[in-house]
Structure formats: structure tokens, C-alpha cells
Amino acid sequence: DKNGNGNLDPEDFILFYGRSPRSWKYNPTNQTYSHYLNSFTETNHYFLSFGGQPGRGMDSLQSLVQPGAYRPSSFQGRVFLEEERNNFINSGRQWVGQLLNVESKVFISTTLLPGYDPLASVVYWFVVLGRSTSNQTFRIEENGKLLGQITTLGFNTSSIENNYAYRSPVASFSRSDTLPGGRSVLRIEFQAATAGPEGWIDWIEILYRQSFDAINDQLSFNSHDSTAVIEYGLGNFSSSDIFAFDVTDHGNVKRIANLQPNTAAPSRF
């Protein structure tokens, strides 16, 4: 409601913000992110109504203007892959991804990293599972270069006292050289030599530094974990008519007011 007259005029629009069942949570103690998903659904439902009493208005949050404020050049970009393809006993909430064995050893995942900063390192987190009476190895490459290996331990697969598969601890690797085209191309090979051993990909997380450049006039980013005043410069928008929102509290989204035009970036706050 640009003119504040309480009517939906031709120049006004409705902007809806909802959260996915798949997202990220932040740990302020470790200052790290980890992904999560809903074990029961891939869909969130929202109910909208119109007419009747006026709806709740959106509060504003004034942007602070402080000369010399810290202005970061990037923020924590993050993507994850967790495919719920296989359930070991066709029951329960434990789902895993791609099955690998001696006949199908290789899993390849190609992921574009929006706003990728080639000067910063990329960090990878993996969890895999293996079912075998002997130790098995997963060899992981990024764009043709070795990242590392993960070993799953062998166990007595005929015992009902053991889990169906051995789940590896979370494994972390990093890469400092540039990813061509800002694209991750992970190749995971399950190095089973004989029939019988099986392996699965549980999940993959990729953390990288992302620029404050919009993609198709949209940009979602996390604020820095700091009590200092921080200035954000947003680029690559098609116009200076930009809206910014604080969505920290999903039930109380606020519009950030007093965005400042800038010649170096369309807007800052």
C-alpha cells in the first residue's frame, strides 16, 4: 500500500513470505549453520483470508545511519542436499539418499553456488552410511580434484542387535582454489570391490561466501552475528525501488525503512 490509503490500488501489490519445511538453523554458540527438514512432509500450508476486519499491519524497523560502519563484502552462503529416497525397513523416519554398490558405484551432484566468492574457501560436510562386514571407503572429488575419503566400519550384518547400516560421523573437508563457473561438481565413489557391500549418501552441506548481489531482483541473506552497527550494500537490482524485510521472527516480519540510495550499490541500510 504505497500511498497508505488502505486500498489495493493498481500500483500496489501483495508480497507473501512463507518458510519451507527444508531450511537452516543457526547455532549462536558455535556460530555455525546446520540444515533441517520435516520428517513427514515436503509442503507447508498457509491459509489466507480477505474481507471483514482490517488485517494486522506490518511494523517498520528504522535503518541506522552511522558513518564508518562496518560493511561486509559477503555473507554465509549455504546449500544442502538430502534426498529421501530409501527407507531400510519400509518403516520409521530414517530415510537415506542414493544407493551405491559394486554395480552402481558413483554419485554425482552438480550445484550452482549463487553469488560465489572465488577468493574464499568452500567448506563441505558429509554423512554417509555403509552396510558390510568389512570397512568400506567413499572417495570424494570436487571438480575432478580429491577432497577426501570417508570410511564406514564393517559389522555383523546378520545380527539383529546391530543397526541396519553404519552411519559415519559428520566429515568435513575444504577447498581453497576456485570452482569453475561458481559451480560445485561433487563426485562420490563407493569403492566396493565385491558384490554385497552397500553404501548410501545421507546428506551434503556446502558453505561458501556469497556476495550481496541480487538474482532476479531477489536476495535472501543472514545478518552478521555482531552487536556492532553493520551497513549492507545491495547490488545487481534492476532499479532503486527496493524493499527490505527483517524475517528473523517469522510471526513478526518487519519492513526496514530508510534505505539509502548509493552510487556504488543501488541501496544500503
Side-chain angles (χ1 to χ4, degrees), residues 224-247:
H224 281 58
D225 189 351
S226 171
T227 58
V229 175
I230 299 177
E231 179 181 281
Y232 296 101
L234 312 179
N236 203 37
F237 285 92
S238 60
S239 77
S240 59
D241 188 18
I242 298 173
F243 295 88
F245 301 91
D246 180 352
V247 297

PDB file of all heavy atoms in Angstrom, residues 224-247:
ATOM      1  N   HIS A 224      25.199 -10.488  10.103  1.00  0.00           N
ATOM      2  CA  HIS A 224      26.378 -10.897  10.847  1.00  0.00           C
ATOM      3  C   HIS A 224      26.045 -11.015  12.328  1.00  0.00           C
ATOM      4  O   HIS A 224      25.271 -10.227  12.871  1.00  0.00           O
ATOM      5  CB  HIS A 224      27.511  -9.893  10.637  1.00  0.00           C
ATOM      6  CG  HIS A 224      28.228 -10.077   9.332  1.00  0.00           C
ATOM      7  ND1 HIS A 224      27.598 -10.022   8.117  1.00  0.00           N
ATOM      8  CD2 HIS A 224      29.541 -10.338   9.073  1.00  0.00           C
ATOM      9  CE1 HIS A 224      28.473 -10.232   7.152  1.00  0.00           C
ATOM     10  NE2 HIS A 224      29.652 -10.424   7.707  1.00  0.00           N
ATOM     11  N   ASP A 225      26.651 -11.990  12.973  1.00  0.00           N
ATOM     12  CA  ASP A 225      26.451 -12.209  14.406  1.00  0.00           C
ATOM     13  C   ASP A 225      27.344 -11.229  15.160  1.00  0.00           C
ATOM     14  O   ASP A 225      28.490 -11.535  15.521  1.00  0.00           O
ATOM     15  CB  ASP A 225      26.794 -13.660  14.758  1.00  0.00           C
ATOM     16  CG  ASP A 225      26.409 -14.008  16.186  1.00  0.00           C
ATOM     17  OD1 ASP A 225      26.048 -13.098  16.940  1.00  0.00           O
ATOM     18  OD2 ASP A 225      26.477 -15.200  16.537  1.00  0.00           O
ATOM     19  N   SER A 226      26.824 -10.026  15.375  1.00  0.00           N
ATOM     20  CA  SER A 226      27.615  -8.972  15.999  1.00  0.00           C
ATOM     21  C   SER A 226      26.685  -7.953  16.633  1.00  0.00           C
ATOM     22  O   SER A 226      25.543  -7.773  16.196  1.00  0.00           O
ATOM     23  CB  SER A 226      28.508  -8.284  14.957  1.00  0.00           C
ATOM     24  OG  SER A 226      29.135  -7.144  15.490  1.00  0.00           O
ATOM     25  N   THR A 227      27.169  -7.291  17.671  1.00  0.00           N
ATOM     26  CA  THR A 227      26.405  -6.205  18.291  1.00  0.00           C
ATOM     27  C   THR A 227      26.758  -4.861  17.675  1.00  0.00           C
ATOM     28  O   THR A 227      26.169  -3.843  18.039  1.00  0.00           O
ATOM     29  CB  THR A 227      26.682  -6.154  19.804  1.00  0.00           C
ATOM     30  OG1 THR A 227      28.092  -5.984  20.025  1.00  0.00           O
ATOM     31  CG2 THR A 227      26.215  -7.439  20.482  1.00  0.00           C
ATOM     32  N   ALA A 228      27.704  -4.837  16.753  1.00  0.00           N
ATOM     33  CA  ALA A 228      28.111  -3.588  16.113  1.00  0.00           C
ATOM     34  C   ALA A 228      27.080  -3.155  15.075  1.00  0.00           C
ATOM     35  O   ALA A 228      26.254  -3.953  14.620  1.00  0.00           O
ATOM     36  CB  ALA A 228      29.472  -3.760  15.459  1.00  0.00           C
ATOM     37  N   VAL A 229      27.139  -1.888  14.704  1.00  0.00           N
ATOM     38  CA  VAL A 229      26.308  -1.380  13.612  1.00  0.00           C
ATOM     39  C   VAL A 229      26.965  -1.796  12.294  1.00  0.00           C
ATOM     40  O   VAL A 229      28.146  -1.522  12.061  1.00  0.00           O
ATOM     41  CB  VAL A 229      26.162   0.149  13.675  1.00  0.00           C
ATOM     42  CG1 VAL A 229      25.385   0.659  12.454  1.00  0.00           C
ATOM     43  CG2 VAL A 229      25.458   0.562  14.958  1.00  0.00           C
ATOM     44  N   ILE A 230      26.212  -2.482  11.452  1.00  0.00           N
ATOM     45  CA  ILE A 230      26.740  -3.002  10.195  1.00  0.00           C
ATOM     46  C   ILE A 230      25.944  -2.416   9.041  1.00  0.00           C
ATOM     47  O   ILE A 230      24.711  -2.360   9.083  1.00  0.00           O
ATOM     48  CB  ILE A 230      26.677  -4.532  10.164  1.00  0.00           C
ATOM     49  CG1 ILE A 230      27.523  -5.114  11.307  1.00  0.00           C
ATOM     50  CG2 ILE A 230      27.159  -5.071   8.826  1.00  0.00           C
ATOM     51  CD1 ILE A 230      27.477  -6.605  11.410  1.00  0.00           C
ATOM     52  N   GLU A 231      26.644  -1.991   8.012  1.00  0.00           N
ATOM     53  CA  GLU A 231      25.996  -1.444   6.822  1.00  0.00           C
ATOM     54  C   GLU A 231      26.049  -2.486   5.708  1.00  0.00           C
ATOM     55  O   GLU A 231      27.104  -3.073   5.440  1.00  0.00           O
ATOM     56  CB  GLU A 231      26.712  -0.174   6.370  1.00  0.00           C
ATOM     57  CG  GLU A 231      26.119   0.442   5.109  1.00  0.00           C
ATOM     58  CD  GLU A 231      26.867   1.687   4.686  1.00  0.00           C
ATOM     59  OE1 GLU A 231      26.629   2.748   5.291  1.00  0.00           O
ATOM     60  OE2 GLU A 231      27.701   1.591   3.767  1.00  0.00           O
ATOM     61  N   TYR A 232      24.910  -2.713   5.084  1.00  0.00           N
ATOM     62  CA  TYR A 232      24.828  -3.674   3.996  1.00  0.00           C
ATOM     63  C   TYR A 232      24.604  -2.934   2.685  1.00  0.00           C
ATOM     64  O   TYR A 232      23.677  -2.121   2.583  1.00  0.00           O
ATOM     65  CB  TYR A 232      23.688  -4.669   4.236  1.00  0.00           C
ATOM     66  CG  TYR A 232      23.899  -5.535   5.451  1.00  0.00           C
ATOM     67  CD1 TYR A 232      23.246  -5.252   6.653  1.00  0.00           C
ATOM     68  CD2 TYR A 232      24.766  -6.622   5.419  1.00  0.00           C
ATOM     69  CE1 TYR A 232      23.444  -6.042   7.782  1.00  0.00           C
ATOM     70  CE2 TYR A 232      24.968  -7.413   6.538  1.00  0.00           C
ATOM     71  CZ  TYR A 232      24.310  -7.116   7.711  1.00  0.00           C
ATOM     72  OH  TYR A 232      24.516  -7.885   8.819  1.00  0.00           O
ATOM     73  N   GLY A 233      25.445  -3.210   1.706  1.00  0.00           N
ATOM     74  CA  GLY A 233      25.287  -2.658   0.367  1.00  0.00           C
ATOM     75  C   GLY A 233      24.778  -3.730  -0.576  1.00  0.00           C
ATOM     76  O   GLY A 233      25.403  -4.788  -0.717  1.00  0.00           O
ATOM     77  N   LEU A 234      23.629  -3.477  -1.192  1.00  0.00           N
ATOM     78  CA  LEU A 234      22.971  -4.479  -2.040  1.00  0.00           C
ATOM     79  C   LEU A 234      23.105  -4.088  -3.501  1.00  0.00           C
ATOM     80  O   LEU A 234      22.794  -2.957  -3.875  1.00  0.00           O
ATOM     81  CB  LEU A 234      21.489  -4.596  -1.662  1.00  0.00           C
ATOM     82  CG  LEU A 234      21.180  -4.724  -0.164  1.00  0.00           C
ATOM     83  CD1 LEU A 234      19.678  -4.793   0.054  1.00  0.00           C
ATOM     84  CD2 LEU A 234      21.873  -5.940   0.430  1.00  0.00           C
ATOM     85  N   GLY A 235      23.568  -5.009  -4.315  1.00  0.00           N
ATOM     86  CA  GLY A 235      23.806  -4.722  -5.721  1.00  0.00           C
ATOM     87  C   GLY A 235      23.017  -5.607  -6.664  1.00  0.00           C
ATOM     88  O   GLY A 235      22.337  -6.552  -6.259  1.00  0.00           O
ATOM     89  N   ASN A 236      23.120  -5.268  -7.944  1.00  0.00           N
ATOM     90  CA  ASN A 236      22.567  -6.057  -9.053  1.00  0.00           C
ATOM     91  C   ASN A 236      21.039  -6.046  -9.098  1.00  0.00           C
ATOM     92  O   ASN A 236      20.427  -6.955  -9.646  1.00  0.00           O
ATOM     93  CB  ASN A 236      23.061  -7.504  -8.991  1.00  0.00           C
ATOM     94  CG  ASN A 236      23.013  -8.197 -10.334  1.00  0.00           C
ATOM     95  OD1 ASN A 236      23.272  -7.576 -11.364  1.00  0.00           O
ATOM     96  ND2 ASN A 236      22.674  -9.469 -10.344  1.00  0.00           N
ATOM     97  N   PHE A 237      20.408  -5.014  -8.523  1.00  0.00           N
ATOM     98  CA  PHE A 237      18.966  -4.840  -8.683  1.00  0.00           C
ATOM     99  C   PHE A 237      18.694  -4.025  -9.942  1.00  0.00           C
ATOM    100  O   PHE A 237      19.510  -3.199 -10.350  1.00  0.00           O
ATOM    101  CB  PHE A 237      18.365  -4.137  -7.462  1.00  0.00           C
ATOM    102  CG  PHE A 237      18.247  -5.016  -6.245  1.00  0.00           C
ATOM    103  CD1 PHE A 237      19.259  -5.057  -5.304  1.00  0.00           C
ATOM    104  CD2 PHE A 237      17.123  -5.801  -6.052  1.00  0.00           C
ATOM    105  CE1 PHE A 237      19.164  -5.861  -4.184  1.00  0.00           C
ATOM    106  CE2 PHE A 237      17.016  -6.618  -4.931  1.00  0.00           C
ATOM    107  CZ  PHE A 237      18.044  -6.644  -3.998  1.00  0.00           C
ATOM    108  N   SER A 238      17.539  -4.237 -10.543  1.00  0.00           N
ATOM    109  CA  SER A 238      17.213  -3.550 -11.794  1.00  0.00           C
ATOM    110  C   SER A 238      16.753  -2.115 -11.574  1.00  0.00           C
ATOM    111  O   SER A 238      16.675  -1.342 -12.520  1.00  0.00           O
ATOM    112  CB  SER A 238      16.133  -4.329 -12.555  1.00  0.00           C
ATOM    113  OG  SER A 238      14.946  -4.439 -11.775  1.00  0.00           O
ATOM    114  N   SER A 239      16.418  -1.735 -10.329  1.00  0.00           N
ATOM    115  CA  SER A 239      16.024  -0.364 -10.030  1.00  0.00           C
ATOM    116  C   SER A 239      16.361  -0.071  -8.578  1.00  0.00           C
ATOM    117  O   SER A 239      16.774  -0.959  -7.823  1.00  0.00           O
ATOM    118  CB  SER A 239      14.529  -0.144 -10.277  1.00  0.00           C
ATOM    119  OG  SER A 239      13.744  -0.694  -9.234  1.00  0.00           O
ATOM    120  N   SER A 240      16.201   1.199  -8.189  1.00  0.00           N
ATOM    121  CA  SER A 240      16.460   1.590  -6.800  1.00  0.00           C
ATOM    122  C   SER A 240      15.206   1.467  -5.933  1.00  0.00           C
ATOM    123  O   SER A 240      15.249   1.773  -4.743  1.00  0.00           O
ATOM    124  CB  SER A 240      16.981   3.033  -6.750  1.00  0.00           C
ATOM    125  OG  SER A 240      16.044   3.928  -7.320  1.00  0.00           O
ATOM    126  N   ASP A 241      14.093   1.023  -6.509  1.00  0.00           N
ATOM    127  CA  ASP A 241      12.853   0.837  -5.760  1.00  0.00           C
ATOM    128  C   ASP A 241      12.890  -0.538  -5.103  1.00  0.00           C
ATOM    129  O   ASP A 241      12.331  -1.517  -5.609  1.00  0.00           O
ATOM    130  CB  ASP A 241      11.650   0.982  -6.691  1.00  0.00           C
ATOM    131  CG  ASP A 241      10.322   0.996  -5.929  1.00  0.00           C
ATOM    132  OD1 ASP A 241      10.357   1.242  -4.706  1.00  0.00           O
ATOM    133  OD2 ASP A 241       9.276   0.772  -6.561  1.00  0.00           O
ATOM    134  N   ILE A 242      13.561  -0.606  -3.957  1.00  0.00           N
ATOM    135  CA  ILE A 242      13.847  -1.882  -3.307  1.00  0.00           C
ATOM    136  C   ILE A 242      13.169  -1.941  -1.945  1.00  0.00           C
ATOM    137  O   ILE A 242      13.111  -0.942  -1.230  1.00  0.00           O
ATOM    138  CB  ILE A 242      15.370  -2.063  -3.138  1.00  0.00           C
ATOM    139  CG1 ILE A 242      16.055  -2.098  -4.510  1.00  0.00           C
ATOM    140  CG2 ILE A 242      15.696  -3.333  -2.359  1.00  0.00           C
ATOM    141  CD1 ILE A 242      17.550  -2.106  -4.430  1.00  0.00           C
ATOM    142  N   PHE A 243      12.651  -3.114  -1.614  1.00  0.00           N
ATOM    143  CA  PHE A 243      12.058  -3.349  -0.303  1.00  0.00           C
ATOM    144  C   PHE A 243      12.947  -4.317   0.464  1.00  0.00           C
ATOM    145  O   PHE A 243      13.419  -5.316  -0.091  1.00  0.00           O
ATOM    146  CB  PHE A 243      10.654  -3.938  -0.438  1.00  0.00           C
ATOM    147  CG  PHE A 243       9.657  -3.007  -1.077  1.00  0.00           C
ATOM    148  CD1 PHE A 243       9.504  -2.969  -2.455  1.00  0.00           C
ATOM    149  CD2 PHE A 243       8.882  -2.162  -0.296  1.00  0.00           C
ATOM    150  CE1 PHE A 243       8.592  -2.125  -3.047  1.00  0.00           C
ATOM    151  CE2 PHE A 243       7.966  -1.304  -0.884  1.00  0.00           C
ATOM    152  CZ  PHE A 243       7.818  -1.284  -2.255  1.00  0.00           C
ATOM    153  N   ALA A 244      13.181  -4.025   1.735  1.00  0.00           N
ATOM    154  CA  ALA A 244      13.972  -4.904   2.591  1.00  0.00           C
ATOM    155  C   ALA A 244      13.151  -5.267   3.818  1.00  0.00           C
ATOM    156  O   ALA A 244      12.427  -4.421   4.370  1.00  0.00           O
ATOM    157  CB  ALA A 244      15.273  -4.223   3.005  1.00  0.00           C
ATOM    158  N   PHE A 245      13.274  -6.521   4.259  1.00  0.00           N
ATOM    159  CA  PHE A 245      12.470  -7.014   5.374  1.00  0.00           C
ATOM    160  C   PHE A 245      13.357  -7.788   6.346  1.00  0.00           C
ATOM    161  O   PHE A 245      14.266  -8.511   5.943  1.00  0.00           O
ATOM    162  CB  PHE A 245      11.346  -7.925   4.874  1.00  0.00           C
ATOM    163  CG  PHE A 245      10.404  -7.275   3.910  1.00  0.00           C
ATOM    164  CD1 PHE A 245      10.637  -7.347   2.540  1.00  0.00           C
ATOM    165  CD2 PHE A 245       9.296  -6.570   4.362  1.00  0.00           C
ATOM    166  CE1 PHE A 245       9.772  -6.745   1.643  1.00  0.00           C
ATOM    167  CE2 PHE A 245       8.437  -5.965   3.467  1.00  0.00           C
ATOM    168  CZ  PHE A 245       8.677  -6.045   2.111  1.00  0.00           C
ATOM    169  N   ASP A 246      13.059  -7.640   7.613  1.00  0.00           N
ATOM    170  CA  ASP A 246      13.684  -8.440   8.662  1.00  0.00           C
ATOM    171  C   ASP A 246      12.754  -9.617   8.955  1.00  0.00           C
ATOM    172  O   ASP A 246      11.663  -9.440   9.502  1.00  0.00           O
ATOM    173  CB  ASP A 246      13.882  -7.590   9.916  1.00  0.00           C
ATOM    174  CG  ASP A 246      14.530  -8.363  11.061  1.00  0.00           C
ATOM    175  OD1 ASP A 246      14.696  -9.596  10.931  1.00  0.00           O
ATOM    176  OD2 ASP A 246      14.867  -7.745  12.089  1.00  0.00           O
ATOM    177  N   VAL A 247      13.176 -10.830   8.565  1.00  0.00           N
ATOM    178  CA  VAL A 247      12.329 -12.018   8.698  1.00  0.00           C
ATOM    179  C   VAL A 247      12.854 -12.940   9.802  1.00  0.00           C
ATOM    180  O   VAL A 247      12.567 -14.138   9.792  1.00  0.00           O
ATOM    181  CB  VAL A 247      12.229 -12.775   7.353  1.00  0.00           C
ATOM    182  CG1 VAL A 247      11.568 -11.907   6.295  1.00  0.00           C
ATOM    183  CG2 VAL A 247      13.606 -13.233   6.877  1.00  0.00           C
TER     184      VAL A 247
END
